[in-house]
């Protein structure tokens, strides 16, 4: 894919290196001359320009990009870049960095954002996922907010311990997508059973989260931890 990254700071350059290693073509844009460090990512294209200006994005031929990533340290700039990429240039996929969690509510499709990435939320998710047993942890919302990725470390007291995957009567359209056991991720097998201390990853409609939490770990009141804030 051809990917444009607005913001050539530490975050933008790190993303660029990872994507280049995976075989993608990268264009880094930044308006600060001191940020143009071509030697740090020599395989990328570089453009000294304002990623929030139409003329700059036309020069970058943004319409040829498959993904636009707004990775600056300024939430306003990330929103404007995403909106222009989506509405003016028809970029199929936009990803925006959220610097301040209080601004997260704005990073949605109204501003042209397909995926919002909040570093504080992700760090919180890792902490909650590591220490929480028996609570459903909401890790991530997919585009449109109609589906979430959630996790639960199955407690020893769960009535589902030892139940075959095929026999799990998951509520709604919840789907068990992965089981992490002894540090190793594996695809669920119909004839395999879930075990105590398994980390179970589900894709589920938000409306069914509480019911799923109660089904896996009945407590009278289902526990749900939202690490997205």
């Amino acid at each position: 894919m051809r990917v444009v990254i607005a913001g050539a700071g530490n975050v933008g350059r790190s993303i660029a290196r990872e994507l280049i290693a995976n075989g993608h073509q990268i264009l880094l844009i930044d308006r600060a001359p001191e940020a143009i460090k071509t030697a740090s990512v020599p395989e990328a294209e570089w453009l000294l320009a304002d990623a929030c200006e139409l003329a700059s994005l036309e020069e970058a031929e943004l319409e040829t990009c498959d993904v636009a990533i707004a990775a600056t340290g300024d939430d306003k700039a990330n929103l404007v870049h995403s909106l222009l990429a989506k509405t003016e240039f028809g970029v199929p996929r936009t990803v925006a960095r959220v610097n301040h969690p209080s601004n997260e509510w704005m990073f949605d499709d109204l501003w042209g954002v397909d995926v919002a990435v909040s570093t504080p939320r992700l760090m919180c998710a890792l902490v909650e996922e590591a220490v929480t047993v028996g609570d459903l942890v909401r890790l991530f919302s997919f585009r449109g907010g109609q589906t979430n990725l959630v996790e639960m470390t199955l407690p020893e007291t769960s009535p589902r311990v030892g139940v075959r995957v095929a026999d799990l009567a998951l509520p709604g359209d919840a789907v068990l997508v992965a089981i992490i056991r002894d540090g190793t991720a594996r695809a669920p097998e119909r004839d395999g059973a879930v075990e105590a201390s398994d980390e179970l990853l589900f894709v589920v409609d938000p409306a069914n989260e509480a019911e799923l939490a109660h089904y896996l770990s009945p407590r009278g009141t289902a526990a749900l931890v939202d690490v997205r804030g």
Side-chain angles (χ1 to χ4, degrees):
M1 295 186 296
R2 185 167 191 254
V3 181
V4 61
I5 302 175
N10 291 330
V11 173
R13 294 197 303 273
S14 296
I15 296 170
R17 293 189 194 100
E18 291 290 333
L19 292 175
I20 288 171
N22 289 329
H24 302 295
Q25 297 178 331
I26 305 300
L27 168 63
L28 281 158
I29 304 177
D30 206 295
R31 66 179 182 179
E34 61 272 18
I36 305 300
K37 301 178 180 180
T38 56
S40 63
V41 193
E43 304 90 343
E45 300 176 63
W46 291 77
L47 179 62
L48 176 61
D50 189 337
C52 295
E53 293 288 343
L54 273 174
S56 300
L57 300 181
E58 289 172 353
E59 181 182 354
E61 298 182 338
L62 212 70
E63 68 279 2
T64 67
C65 292
D66 301 289
V67 181
I69 300 175
T72 79
D74 184 339
D75 284 346
K76 296 188 295 296
N78 291 341
L79 286 170
V80 172
H81 177 76
S82 298
L83 183 63
L84 291 176
K86 180 65 71 173
T87 60
E88 298 295 328
F89 297 92
V91 177
R93 189 73 163 168
T94 59
V95 180
R97 171 187 177 188
V98 184
N99 295 280
H100 301 286
S102 61
N103 295 331
E104 193 170 354
W105 64 275
M106 292 188 290
F107 284 73
D108 58 18
D109 57 351
L110 294 178
W111 277 95
V113 178
D114 292 323
V115 178
V117 180
S118 171
T119 301
R121 299 298 178 216
L122 290 176
M123 293 180 69
C124 184
L126 292 174
V127 172
E128 292 288 355
E129 184 272 335
V131 303
T132 305
V133 176
D135 289 339
L136 198 68
V137 180
R138 185 182 294 155
L139 300 175
F140 185 80
S141 289
F142 294 96
R143 179 167 25 174
Q146 299 303 308
T147 307
N148 291 334
L149 178 67
V150 300
E151 181 269 353
M152 176 182 284
T153 299
L154 201 65
E156 294 182 357
T157 56
S158 171
R160 311 308 160 201
V161 172
V163 175
R164 292 172 64 244
V165 170
D167 295 332
L168 291 173
L170 301 177
D173 294 325
V175 178
L176 176 62
V177 294
I179 299 173
I180 302 176
R181 182 178 298 158
D182 299 327
T184 302
R186 62 191 70 194
E189 298 179 357
R190 288 180 54 82
D191 292 329
V194 294
E195 301 177 2
S197 300
D198 279 353
E199 296 176 47
L200 308 178
L201 293 175
F202 298 90
V203 173
V204 61
D205 187 298
N208 298 123
E209 287 178 344
E211 187 178 355
L212 177 62
H214 184 73
Y215 175 75
L216 296 171
S217 182
R219 297 181 174 185
T221 302
L224 174 63
V225 179
D226 187 353
V227 300
R228 303 165 311 147

